[in-house]
Amino acid sequence: AFALLGIYVGVVPVTLGLLFHPWLRTLGRRGLQFLLALTLGLLAFLLVDTLAEGLELAADAAGAFQAATLVWLAAAASFLALLAVGRRRGTPEGLALATFLALGIGLHNLGEGLAIGAAFAIGEAALGSFLVVGFTLHNVTEGIGIAAPLTRRRTGLLAFAGLAALAGLPAVLGTWIGAFAYAPHWAALFLGIGAGAIAQVIVEVGAYLTRMARQSEARWLSGANLAGFVKVADAMLAYGIL
C-alpha cells in the first residue's frame, strides 16, 4: 500500500509532465528559454524547501548527531560530487542534463515520501492524504521541467521511462523509510544530499540557458526569462504556504 502511494505521488505525476514533450517541441528558441527559466524557478523553490525541511528535522535529532551540520556537509558533498561527475565530458546537455534533473528531483521526492510515510505511521491520515494530493499536483510541473532539455532532439520511450523512474521511484523508498524506519537524523541526511543535487542541477540548467542565449545572440537575463523565474517561484511558495 505504501509503495502504491509512492508511485501515485512520484511516478504518475512526473510521467504526466513528461507527456508534454511533443508540445514543448513546437516552442521556438525564446519559448524554450522561457521554459528553462520556469524550471530554474521551480528548482530554486525545491532547494529552499529541501534545506528548510532538512534543518527542521535536524532540530528534532539527538544532539550527538550534529544533524544540522550534517545537512550542510551532505549538501556540499553531493553538489561537488555530482558537478565533478557531470562535467567529466564537458557541460551536460540534452539527455544528460535531463538525467541530472531527474536525479535531483528524485532525491527531493525521497524527502516527500518520508513526510507521507511518517504522517501515516503516526496515525495522521488527514495530513498524509493532504500531502499526497499536494505533492502529486506540483510533481507534474517537475516532469515538464525534466522534458525541457529534450526538445531539441528525438528521445526514445525507454529513455522517458528511465527518467520517470529516476525522478519518481525515490518517493516509494521515502514512503517505506518514513513508515517503517523513520529517524530524524537519517531523514535530515537524505534531504541534505537532495539539496546538493538540486543545487548542481540549478548550476547546469543556468549554464545551458546561458549557452542558448549566446547562440541566439540574445541576453540570457531577459524580461520574459526573469518573469518566468519569479512567477513559478512565487507559485510554488504560495503552494508551500497553503
Side-chain angles (χ1 to χ4, degrees), residues 43 46-47 50-51 71 74-83 97 99-108 189-205:
L43 291 170
L46 294 181
L47 175 61
T50 302
L51 281 173
V71 170
S78 63
F79 170 77
L80 293 174
L82 289 172
L83 192 66
L97 181 57
T99 301
F100 280 110
L101 266 166
L103 176 61
I105 289 171
L107 290 172
H108 176 78
L189 174 64
F190 289 141
L191 289 170
I193 294 172
I198 294 168
Q200 183 262 349
V201 176
I202 289 176
V203 171
E204 299 299 6
V205 173

Short mmCIF file of all heavy atoms in Angstrom, two decimals, residues 43 46-47 50-51 71 74-83 97 99-108 189-205:
data_model
loop_
_atom_site.label_atom_id
_atom_site.label_comp_id
_atom_site.label_asym_id
_atom_site.label_seq_id
_atom_site.Cartn_x
_atom_site.Cartn_y
_atom_site.Cartn_z
N LEU A 43 13.28 24.84 -9.43
CA LEU A 43 14.41 24.26 -8.72
C LEU A 43 14.83 25.13 -7.54
O LEU A 43 15.22 24.59 -6.49
CB LEU A 43 15.59 24.09 -9.69
CG LEU A 43 15.42 23.02 -10.77
CD1 LEU A 43 16.54 23.13 -11.80
CD2 LEU A 43 15.39 21.63 -10.17
N LEU A 46 12.51 24.27 -4.79
CA LEU A 46 12.82 22.95 -4.26
C LEU A 46 14.06 22.98 -3.38
O LEU A 46 14.14 22.29 -2.36
CB LEU A 46 12.99 21.94 -5.39
CG LEU A 46 11.76 21.63 -6.23
CD1 LEU A 46 12.11 20.59 -7.30
CD2 LEU A 46 10.62 21.12 -5.37
N LEU A 47 15.07 23.78 -3.77
CA LEU A 47 16.30 23.88 -2.99
C LEU A 47 16.01 24.46 -1.61
O LEU A 47 16.43 23.90 -0.58
CB LEU A 47 17.32 24.73 -3.73
CG LEU A 47 18.63 25.02 -2.98
CD1 LEU A 47 19.37 23.71 -2.66
CD2 LEU A 47 19.52 25.95 -3.78
N THR A 50 13.83 22.01 0.44
CA THR A 50 14.56 20.83 0.90
C THR A 50 15.47 21.17 2.06
O THR A 50 15.55 20.43 3.06
CB THR A 50 15.37 20.22 -0.26
OG1 THR A 50 14.49 19.89 -1.33
CG2 THR A 50 16.08 18.96 0.18
N LEU A 51 16.21 22.28 1.96
CA LEU A 51 17.08 22.69 3.05
C LEU A 51 16.28 23.01 4.31
O LEU A 51 16.68 22.62 5.43
CB LEU A 51 17.91 23.91 2.63
CG LEU A 51 19.12 23.64 1.74
CD1 LEU A 51 19.75 24.95 1.28
CD2 LEU A 51 20.16 22.79 2.48
N VAL A 71 23.49 18.16 7.56
CA VAL A 71 22.72 18.60 6.38
C VAL A 71 23.60 19.41 5.43
O VAL A 71 23.64 19.15 4.22
CB VAL A 71 21.49 19.42 6.82
CG1 VAL A 71 20.82 20.07 5.61
CG2 VAL A 71 20.50 18.54 7.56
N ALA A 74 26.43 17.25 3.87
CA ALA A 74 25.90 16.35 2.86
C ALA A 74 25.53 17.10 1.59
O ALA A 74 25.76 16.62 0.47
CB ALA A 74 24.67 15.61 3.41
N ALA A 75 24.96 18.30 1.75
CA ALA A 75 24.59 19.11 0.59
C ALA A 75 25.84 19.51 -0.20
O ALA A 75 25.87 19.41 -1.44
CB ALA A 75 23.83 20.36 1.04
N ALA A 76 26.88 19.96 0.50
CA ALA A 76 28.12 20.36 -0.19
C ALA A 76 28.78 19.18 -0.88
O ALA A 76 29.24 19.29 -2.03
CB ALA A 76 29.08 21.00 0.82
N ALA A 77 28.83 18.03 -0.19
CA ALA A 77 29.48 16.85 -0.77
C ALA A 77 28.75 16.36 -2.01
O ALA A 77 29.37 16.05 -3.04
CB ALA A 77 29.57 15.74 0.28
N SER A 78 27.42 16.28 -1.95
CA SER A 78 26.67 15.79 -3.11
C SER A 78 26.74 16.79 -4.26
O SER A 78 26.83 16.39 -5.43
CB SER A 78 25.21 15.51 -2.73
OG SER A 78 24.55 16.70 -2.33
N PHE A 79 26.74 18.08 -3.96
CA PHE A 79 26.87 19.09 -5.01
C PHE A 79 28.19 18.95 -5.75
O PHE A 79 28.23 18.89 -6.99
CB PHE A 79 26.75 20.49 -4.40
CG PHE A 79 27.09 21.60 -5.35
CD1 PHE A 79 26.20 22.00 -6.33
CD2 PHE A 79 28.32 22.25 -5.28
CE1 PHE A 79 26.51 23.02 -7.22
CE2 PHE A 79 28.65 23.26 -6.15
CZ PHE A 79 27.75 23.66 -7.13
N LEU A 80 29.29 18.88 -5.01
CA LEU A 80 30.60 18.79 -5.64
C LEU A 80 30.79 17.47 -6.38
O LEU A 80 31.36 17.44 -7.47
CB LEU A 80 31.69 18.95 -4.57
CG LEU A 80 31.76 20.34 -3.92
CD1 LEU A 80 32.78 20.34 -2.77
CD2 LEU A 80 32.13 21.41 -4.94
N ALA A 81 30.30 16.37 -5.79
CA ALA A 81 30.45 15.06 -6.44
C ALA A 81 29.69 15.01 -7.75
O ALA A 81 30.22 14.57 -8.78
CB ALA A 81 29.97 13.96 -5.50
N LEU A 82 28.44 15.48 -7.74
CA LEU A 82 27.64 15.44 -8.97
C LEU A 82 28.17 16.42 -10.01
O LEU A 82 28.12 16.14 -11.21
CB LEU A 82 26.18 15.76 -8.64
CG LEU A 82 25.43 14.66 -7.88
CD1 LEU A 82 24.06 15.15 -7.44
CD2 LEU A 82 25.28 13.42 -8.75
N LEU A 83 28.69 17.57 -9.57
CA LEU A 83 29.27 18.52 -10.51
C LEU A 83 30.49 17.93 -11.19
O LEU A 83 30.68 18.07 -12.40
CB LEU A 83 29.63 19.82 -9.78
CG LEU A 83 29.98 21.02 -10.67
CD1 LEU A 83 28.77 21.48 -11.47
CD2 LEU A 83 30.52 22.17 -9.81
N LEU A 97 21.58 16.23 -19.30
CA LEU A 97 21.05 17.28 -18.42
C LEU A 97 19.70 16.85 -17.85
O LEU A 97 19.43 17.06 -16.66
CB LEU A 97 20.91 18.58 -19.20
CG LEU A 97 20.37 19.80 -18.42
CD1 LEU A 97 21.25 20.08 -17.21
CD2 LEU A 97 20.31 21.02 -19.32
N THR A 99 18.79 13.85 -17.24
CA THR A 99 19.06 12.83 -16.23
C THR A 99 19.44 13.45 -14.89
O THR A 99 18.98 13.01 -13.83
CB THR A 99 20.19 11.90 -16.71
OG1 THR A 99 19.79 11.29 -17.95
CG2 THR A 99 20.48 10.81 -15.69
N PHE A 100 20.28 14.48 -14.93
CA PHE A 100 20.63 15.16 -13.68
C PHE A 100 19.42 15.85 -13.07
O PHE A 100 19.25 15.89 -11.84
CB PHE A 100 21.76 16.15 -13.92
CG PHE A 100 23.12 15.51 -13.98
CD1 PHE A 100 23.82 15.44 -15.17
CD2 PHE A 100 23.70 14.95 -12.85
CE1 PHE A 100 25.06 14.84 -15.24
CE2 PHE A 100 24.94 14.34 -12.90
CZ PHE A 100 25.63 14.28 -14.10
N LEU A 101 18.57 16.41 -13.93
CA LEU A 101 17.33 17.00 -13.43
C LEU A 101 16.48 15.94 -12.72
O LEU A 101 15.97 16.16 -11.62
CB LEU A 101 16.53 17.59 -14.59
CG LEU A 101 16.72 19.08 -14.90
CD1 LEU A 101 16.13 19.41 -16.26
CD2 LEU A 101 16.06 19.93 -13.83
N ALA A 102 16.32 14.79 -13.36
CA ALA A 102 15.52 13.72 -12.77
C ALA A 102 16.12 13.23 -11.46
O ALA A 102 15.40 12.94 -10.50
CB ALA A 102 15.39 12.56 -13.76
N LEU A 103 17.46 13.16 -11.39
CA LEU A 103 18.11 12.72 -10.16
C LEU A 103 17.87 13.70 -9.02
O LEU A 103 17.52 13.31 -7.90
CB LEU A 103 19.62 12.56 -10.41
CG LEU A 103 20.46 12.19 -9.18
CD1 LEU A 103 20.02 10.84 -8.62
CD2 LEU A 103 21.95 12.16 -9.55
N GLY A 104 18.06 15.00 -9.30
CA GLY A 104 17.83 16.00 -8.26
C GLY A 104 16.39 16.00 -7.78
O GLY A 104 16.12 16.06 -6.57
N ILE A 105 15.47 15.93 -8.71
CA ILE A 105 14.05 15.90 -8.34
C ILE A 105 13.70 14.61 -7.62
O ILE A 105 12.90 14.60 -6.67
CB ILE A 105 13.18 16.10 -9.60
CG1 ILE A 105 13.31 17.55 -10.09
CG2 ILE A 105 11.72 15.77 -9.33
CD1 ILE A 105 12.67 17.82 -11.43
N GLY A 106 14.31 13.50 -8.03
CA GLY A 106 14.07 12.23 -7.36
C GLY A 106 14.50 12.26 -5.90
O GLY A 106 13.78 11.76 -5.02
N LEU A 107 15.65 12.88 -5.63
CA LEU A 107 16.10 12.98 -4.24
C LEU A 107 15.17 13.87 -3.43
O LEU A 107 14.95 13.64 -2.23
CB LEU A 107 17.54 13.49 -4.20
CG LEU A 107 18.59 12.51 -4.70
CD1 LEU A 107 19.95 13.16 -4.81
CD2 LEU A 107 18.67 11.29 -3.78
N HIS A 108 14.63 14.91 -4.07
CA HIS A 108 13.63 15.73 -3.38
C HIS A 108 12.36 14.92 -3.11
O HIS A 108 11.76 15.02 -2.04
CB HIS A 108 13.29 16.96 -4.21
CG HIS A 108 12.21 17.81 -3.61
ND1 HIS A 108 12.44 18.67 -2.56
CD2 HIS A 108 10.89 17.91 -3.90
CE1 HIS A 108 11.31 19.27 -2.22
NE2 HIS A 108 10.36 18.84 -3.02
N LEU A 189 19.84 13.73 6.74
CA LEU A 189 20.95 13.39 5.84
C LEU A 189 20.46 13.25 4.40
O LEU A 189 21.06 13.80 3.47
CB LEU A 189 21.62 12.10 6.30
CG LEU A 189 22.70 11.54 5.38
CD1 LEU A 189 23.88 12.51 5.28
CD2 LEU A 189 23.18 10.17 5.88
N PHE A 190 19.36 12.51 4.20
CA PHE A 190 18.83 12.32 2.85
C PHE A 190 18.46 13.66 2.22
O PHE A 190 18.72 13.90 1.03
CB PHE A 190 17.61 11.41 2.89
CG PHE A 190 17.93 9.98 3.19
CD1 PHE A 190 17.10 9.22 4.01
CD2 PHE A 190 19.06 9.37 2.67
CE1 PHE A 190 17.39 7.90 4.30
CE2 PHE A 190 19.37 8.06 2.95
CZ PHE A 190 18.53 7.31 3.76
N LEU A 191 17.84 14.53 3.00
CA LEU A 191 17.43 15.83 2.47
C LEU A 191 18.63 16.71 2.16
O LEU A 191 18.60 17.49 1.20
CB LEU A 191 16.48 16.52 3.45
CG LEU A 191 15.09 15.88 3.55
CD1 LEU A 191 14.30 16.46 4.72
CD2 LEU A 191 14.31 16.07 2.26
N GLY A 192 19.69 16.60 2.95
CA GLY A 192 20.91 17.34 2.64
C GLY A 192 21.51 16.91 1.31
O GLY A 192 21.92 17.73 0.49
N ILE A 193 21.55 15.59 1.09
CA ILE A 193 22.03 15.08 -0.20
C ILE A 193 21.16 15.59 -1.34
O ILE A 193 21.65 16.00 -2.40
CB ILE A 193 22.05 13.53 -0.17
CG1 ILE A 193 23.08 13.04 0.84
CG2 ILE A 193 22.35 12.97 -1.56
CD1 ILE A 193 23.04 11.55 1.08
N GLY A 194 19.85 15.57 -1.12
CA GLY A 194 18.93 16.07 -2.15
C GLY A 194 19.14 17.55 -2.45
O GLY A 194 19.09 17.97 -3.62
N ALA A 195 19.39 18.35 -1.42
CA ALA A 195 19.62 19.78 -1.63
C ALA A 195 20.87 20.02 -2.48
O ALA A 195 20.88 20.86 -3.38
CB ALA A 195 19.75 20.49 -0.28
N GLY A 196 21.93 19.26 -2.21
CA GLY A 196 23.14 19.40 -3.02
C GLY A 196 22.92 19.01 -4.47
O GLY A 196 23.43 19.67 -5.39
N ALA A 197 22.12 17.95 -4.69
CA ALA A 197 21.83 17.54 -6.06
C ALA A 197 21.02 18.60 -6.79
O ALA A 197 21.27 18.89 -7.98
CB ALA A 197 21.06 16.21 -6.05
N ILE A 198 20.07 19.20 -6.11
CA ILE A 198 19.26 20.25 -6.74
C ILE A 198 20.12 21.47 -7.06
O ILE A 198 19.97 22.10 -8.12
CB ILE A 198 18.08 20.63 -5.83
CG1 ILE A 198 17.11 19.44 -5.71
CG2 ILE A 198 17.34 21.85 -6.36
CD1 ILE A 198 16.08 19.61 -4.62
N ALA A 199 21.03 21.83 -6.15
CA ALA A 199 21.92 22.96 -6.41
C ALA A 199 22.78 22.71 -7.65
O ALA A 199 23.01 23.62 -8.47
CB ALA A 199 22.81 23.22 -5.19
N GLN A 200 23.26 21.47 -7.81
CA GLN A 200 24.06 21.14 -9.00
C GLN A 200 23.23 21.29 -10.27
O GLN A 200 23.71 21.80 -11.29
CB GLN A 200 24.59 19.72 -8.86
CG GLN A 200 25.49 19.28 -10.01
CD GLN A 200 24.76 18.45 -11.05
OE1 GLN A 200 23.63 18.02 -10.83
NE2 GLN A 200 25.39 18.23 -12.20
N VAL A 201 21.97 20.87 -10.21
CA VAL A 201 21.11 20.99 -11.39
C VAL A 201 20.85 22.45 -11.72
O VAL A 201 20.78 22.84 -12.89
CB VAL A 201 19.79 20.22 -11.16
CG1 VAL A 201 18.85 20.42 -12.33
CG2 VAL A 201 20.06 18.74 -10.97
N ILE A 202 20.69 23.29 -10.70
CA ILE A 202 20.49 24.73 -10.93
C ILE A 202 21.67 25.30 -11.70
O ILE A 202 21.51 26.08 -12.65
CB ILE A 202 20.29 25.47 -9.60
CG1 ILE A 202 18.93 25.12 -9.00
CG2 ILE A 202 20.42 26.98 -9.77
CD1 ILE A 202 18.68 25.72 -7.62
N VAL A 203 22.88 24.92 -11.30
CA VAL A 203 24.09 25.40 -12.00
C VAL A 203 24.08 24.95 -13.45
O VAL A 203 24.35 25.75 -14.37
CB VAL A 203 25.35 24.89 -11.27
CG1 VAL A 203 26.60 25.18 -12.10
CG2 VAL A 203 25.48 25.54 -9.91
N GLU A 204 23.75 23.69 -13.71
CA GLU A 204 23.81 23.16 -15.07
C GLU A 204 22.70 23.74 -15.95
O GLU A 204 22.94 24.05 -17.12
CB GLU A 204 23.73 21.63 -15.05
CG GLU A 204 24.86 20.94 -14.30
CD GLU A 204 26.23 21.21 -14.88
OE1 GLU A 204 26.36 22.02 -15.82
OE2 GLU A 204 27.20 20.60 -14.38
N VAL A 205 21.49 23.87 -15.41
CA VAL A 205 20.41 24.46 -16.20
C VAL A 205 20.70 25.92 -16.49
O VAL A 205 20.46 26.42 -17.60
CB VAL A 205 19.06 24.30 -15.48
CG1 VAL A 205 17.96 25.07 -16.21
CG2 VAL A 205 18.67 22.84 -15.38
#
